[in-house]
Amino acid sequence: MTAFDASKLIGDLEVSLDVDVLVGAYPDRDGPPGTPRAVLDTLAAHRVRAGAVASLRAALFDVRGGNDEVLGLDPPVVPVGTVDLRDPIGAVREIDRLAGLGVRAVRLFPDEQGVEAGFPSVRHVARTCAGLGLAVLTGGDVRRFWQPFAGLDATVVFLDTHFYHLGDFLVVAADEPGFHTSTRLLNSPDALETVPADRLLYGSRTPHYEPVVPLLRLATSGLKPEEIAAVAGGNARRLLG
């Protein structure tokens, strides 16, 4: 499909807040450099007006330095803090610092950090975020990573929910009103319509994935206009303050 064809299908859809945006690069793989300016230009080119931005530098090797870089970015960036789950004591210390600076969400990178859902550090960080009223944006397989957040009255957005695992998300989310999912991997014909619209948040993982794919899925979905507006940023703004 050409860019022209895609734009016709997307129409006048705008996203007021993308919940899954990164700055920085993966040092062990090919990909875009992920400079803040380039990332924001990519979002703007797709009529994405703001992004909840987290730092790969913070996730991979320099937590405080990467977080401070994101905190120093101007709107339309909504800064998201990152912690190292391999260091639960340091992670909680960093969460307290971020909360004191007004950050409203923390992003977890379990796959990149080699951390499993059953590790005590994940539950420890989950409790801390829930106690401070912080939203958590987490990668990882939702079939496992729902567990450390269960029973905490936590606000969580599962960024990697695949449409093959959507049934598992719906089952656990029925008992957890704070559980939400990104649209990024929900590309089956009826996936978006299957999830309550107030539990869906548009996420692209710009610049490391193509933002036009979730845009096309949302624009061509059977959701009502007010539901599309909620998914395309309204829900994210509600959760992230």
Side-chain angles (χ1 to χ4, degrees):
M1 179 176 292
T2 66
F4 176 76
D5 291 332
S7 68
K8 287 200 298 184
L9 289 171
I10 292 170
D12 59 359
L13 173 64
E14 291 190 355
V15 174
S16 62
L17 180 56
D18 183 336
V19 79
D20 189 358
V21 180
L22 300 176
V23 292
Y26 291 96
D28 59 345
R29 68 181 81 167
D30 293 332
T35 63
R37 183 69 267 158
V39 170
L40 292 175
D41 286 346
T42 298
L43 294 176
H46 291 87
R47 292 205 297 272
V48 179
R49 301 310 181 197
V53 177
S55 167
L56 278 173
R57 174 182 171 187
L60 299 174
F61 62 90
D62 179 9
V63 173
R64 184 157 185 159
N67 282 334
D68 285 344
E69 177 188 20
V70 168
L71 286 167
L73 298 176
D74 295 324
V77 167
V78 175
V80 175
T82 296
V83 297
D84 192 339
L85 293 168
R86 298 164 295 191
D87 174 17
I89 306 304
V92 168
R93 188 180 303 119
E94 181 67 0
I95 290 169
D96 287 338
R97 183 180 81 93
L98 292 167
L101 293 171
V103 173
R104 299 301 306 146
V106 171
R107 179 159 178 158
L108 306 183
F109 291 82
D111 291 344
E112 289 83 352
Q113 294 172 358
V115 173
E116 298 176 12
F119 285 11
S121 62
V122 183
R123 182 70 172 179
H124 187 55
V125 166
R127 282 199 192 101
T128 300
C129 290
L132 291 171
L134 301 177
V136 174
L137 315 178
T138 186
D141 190 329
V142 68
R143 296 172 297 175
R144 295 192 296 273
F145 275 89
W146 71 274
Q147 297 177 67
F149 299 97
L152 298 178
D153 194 25
T155 298
V156 188
V157 181
F158 296 95
L159 300 172
D160 295 339
T161 305
H162 196 283
F163 70 85
Y164 288 143
H165 308 152
L166 185 53
D168 293 289
F169 169 79
L170 291 171
V171 168
V172 299
D175 295 324
E176 297 286 347
F179 282 10
H180 301 71
T181 182
S182 164
T183 62
R184 185 173 66 90
L185 297 177
L186 300 182
N187 290 319
S188 67
D190 61 350
L192 299 191
E193 295 86 348
T194 303
V195 183
D198 63 347
R199 301 292 193 97
L200 275 171
L201 288 80
Y202 173 85
S204 68
R205 198 154 302 173
T206 298
H208 298 282
Y209 286 81
E210 176 52 64
V212 75
V213 176
L215 279 172
L216 278 168
R217 181 68 194 90
L218 183 57
T220 59
S221 71
L223 298 178
K224 299 174 183 177
E226 62 271 21
E227 293 174 327
I228 291 176
V231 175
N235 293 333
R237 292 196 176 278
R238 170 173 54 84
L239 297 184
L240 304 186

